[in-house]
Amino acid sequence: MNLPGLRCSLCAKSYDVTELAWLCSCGGILDVEPFAQPLPLRNTLTQRAPTLWRYCEAVPVPEDSSVSMGEGMTPLVPAPGLRGAWIKLDFLMPTLSFKDRGATVLATLAKTIRPELLIVDSSGNAGTAVAAYAARVDLPVEIYVPAATSPGKLAQMRAHGATVHLVDGNREDTADAAADAAGKPDVLYASHVYHPYFLHGTKTYAYEVWEQLGEAPRTLVLPVGNGTLLLGAYLGFRELVDQGLVRSMPTIVGVQAAGCAPLAGAIDGGWREPQRVQSEPTVAEGIAIATPARGAQILAAVRATGGTIVTVTDAETMAAKADLAARGFFVEPTSAVCWAALVRARGDHARSGRGLTALCAESVVIPLCGAGLKSAQ
Ligand SMILES: *Cc1c(COP(=O)(O)O)cnc(C)c1O
Ligand SMILES: [Zn+2]
């Protein structure tokens, strides 16, 4: 299998993936050129191993050289106490977050092209995931993280042998430091944000939801910072619709932290691009992204499904985290934001009939993206 090339979302210039470009020379963000093959028939699919590689036709790297730890096919369980809602347990991944979906693809790419070094920047989980998968192919990784990152996540990265650079300042300062390092020759910037192969790993979230439910849900609720799960889920359902496997797109509702919500602001304002926002510290560290590089793509995707982006306060997030724990799920605060939005909408609906319709629908799926021990104190 040839590795699909990359194409600029602004000027359509293409790049061979081995060139290690992570941004177009025009400054545009890169996407993957069309490559996905139709899935095999459903009864063939069900005979495959229960990992995300069962959708290998839709993944841009060859399955026979996959760097895999059995990631994917996470359980989809009924949400306790909320009729018609389902929870997908993406924290049950090898490194305990959904980032493994993209990291397994980037590591497989790295194994094939063998750069000298991998660079990542992360609020924690993406770094952890790339560190683990790169360790399996014996490639060195340097990770740039905000100095305030949870100690549990740092311990995890170091355990896999990654070099961790603590950056003073916010998440954007971290991304800038990583971008400098990524400019050197023979470096693969294994960025969950910039490298579009990552999104073609996270899109398996959509394929799994479809296979597990037997259809598309009416609504997908997703946390959104840089939008790597949201854009992946959108891509995945688009492909399923194009193949005629799903009749219509689910409505996508993104959830941001009230203290850092550039995308929710852009939806409210009717803007095509998010504006720079003054961000406040939030317990939802995994989605505190003031300038999402794929912001315009996220807004377009959400709008194309008739969806929206809502915010939740830190108080709502912490209450939702405790509520989930009371039901047996121990997740990090960032992972509680979708539950907070869903519970609030259902409550509003019960009280006044005015809860956000998409969240009160018959079939709604939310993910729990990261395990609680990562940020436990
Ligand atoms: C990365 C992450 C998110 C947000 O993903 P984006 O790609 O920034 O939208 C949400 N929750 C957890 C646990 C994460 O690790
Ligand atoms: Zn370009």
Side-chain angles (χ1 to χ4, degrees), residues 98-99 125 223-229 286-287 332 334-335 369-370:
F98 83 82
K99 300 292 196 311
N125 290 333
V224 53
N226 277 308
T228 63
L229 186 58
I287 50 171
E332 61 174 299
T334 307
S335 295
C369 292

Side-chain angles (χ1 to χ4, degrees), residues 91 96-99 122-126 153 171 192-193 198-199 202 222-231 255-256 263 284-289 292 298 331-337 367-371 374:
F91 66 97
L96 310 180
S97 88
F98 83 82
K99 300 292 196 311
S122 172
S123 58
N125 290 333
K153 295 180 185 176
R171 184 69 182 76
H192 58 302
V193 185
F198 193 93
L199 304 179
T202 57
L222 296 160
V224 53
N226 277 308
T228 63
L229 186 58
L230 188 149
L231 286 170
V255 185
Q256 295 213 283
L263 297 162
E285 63 178 1
I287 50 171
I289 309 293
I298 297 166
V331 297
E332 61 174 299
T334 307
S335 295
V337 298
L368 297 180
C369 292
K374 283 172 170 282

